[in-house]
Amino acid sequence: MAFKQFSLLFLPVLIFISSGCVSTFSDKKMDQGIITFEITYPNTPQGNILAGMLPNEMTLKFKDNNLTTELSAGMGLIKMGVVANADSGKISQLLKIMNKKYVYSVDSSHASELYEELPQMTVELTNETKEIAGYLCKKALVTFKGNVSESVNIYYTDEINVSNPNWCTPFKAIQCVMLE
């Protein structure tokens, strides 16, 4: 049960990935690389001491349809990650709190259970585009059931060769690499 709560930590991180995408991209249709996302919390008052403990960066590493995400919080005392292998359908969530390490692994048939407690969301793929880090990206508009006042814009590209990188996330309707 604690691991379901642990998985809830990843939704705000994924939602508030902001426009600071820095990458090691140089070739189109690459199939391996590292993307570093800046994480922001737009509705958090400046100077909030607890906000300083939240992650401010997430790294996505990809190679041969394998994905690894990493982030840390609390001045490095807490580290979180996900390792996902699309070919085998295995997902491992990793959590390190100080010197204690925890791993929770599931296969693809249980991937949706990791996010079942999250608010229901609707993903609308649009034709709107913009360029990010030299890649043409399309816009997706994500809205949450019961929250009509807020929506999230996500920009994704099909110019990076990773097959369905979001298969094990709440954003599985977006079948390309998210850059913002």
Side-chain angles (χ1 to χ4, degrees):
M1 199 56 129
F3 289 105
K4 283 187 180 179
Q5 291 173 341
F6 165 65
S7 67
L8 291 175
L9 292 173
F10 284 101
L11 181 64
V13 170
L14 291 172
I15 291 174
F16 296 112
I17 291 173
S18 73
S19 64
C21 179
V22 180
S23 67
T24 58
F25 298 150
S26 60
D27 298 329
K28 301 290 182 182
K29 286 292 189 182
M30 65 172 30
D31 61 1
Q32 67 179 20
I34 300 171
I35 304 171
T36 303
F37 299 95
E38 177 184 11
I39 302 169
T40 61
Y41 304 91
N43 296 325
T44 304
Q46 217 171 17
N48 183 320
I49 194 158
L50 293 177
M53 301 293 285
L54 296 171
N56 60 10
E57 185 177 277
M58 182 180 87
T59 303
L60 169 67
K61 298 176 183 178
F62 59 95
K63 181 179 180 179
D64 300 328
N65 289 331
N66 295 305
L67 302 168
T68 302
T69 60
E70 302 170 349
L71 53 94
S72 77
M75 298 179 292
L77 295 174
I78 301 170
K79 294 186 179 188
M80 297 169 277
V82 173
V83 177
N85 182 311
D87 296 331
S88 70
K90 300 285 184 195
I91 309 159
S92 295
Q93 289 188 328
L94 314 168
L95 175 63
K96 180 181 176 198
I97 303 174
M98 297 176 75
N99 64 348
K100 301 273 187 190
K101 296 178 183 179
Y102 304 92
V103 177
Y104 179 66
S105 297
V106 297
D107 61 29
S108 60
S109 66
H110 297 286
S112 63
E113 293 174 8
L114 297 173
Y115 305 105
E116 67 186 10
E117 294 182 25
L118 298 177
Q120 187 178 16
M121 68 175 78
T122 303
V123 177
E124 177 188 344
L125 305 177
T126 72
N127 291 323
E128 186 177 329
T129 63
K130 81 176 192 179
E131 188 174 302
I132 300 172
Y135 290 91
L136 181 64
C137 297
K138 292 183 180 178
K139 177 181 171 181
L141 181 64
V142 179
T143 55
F144 299 91
K145 184 176 182 177
N147 188 353
V148 293
S149 64
E150 288 192 39
S151 61
V152 177
N153 295 328
I154 294 177
Y155 287 88
Y156 61 94
T157 185
D158 62 359
E159 295 180 355
I160 298 173
N161 192 23
V162 178
S163 178
N164 196 9
N166 304 307
W167 67 273
C168 61
T169 76
F171 304 99
K172 60 186 170 194
I174 302 171
Q175 297 189 1
C176 299
V177 176
M178 296 186 292
L179 292 183
E180 181 179 300

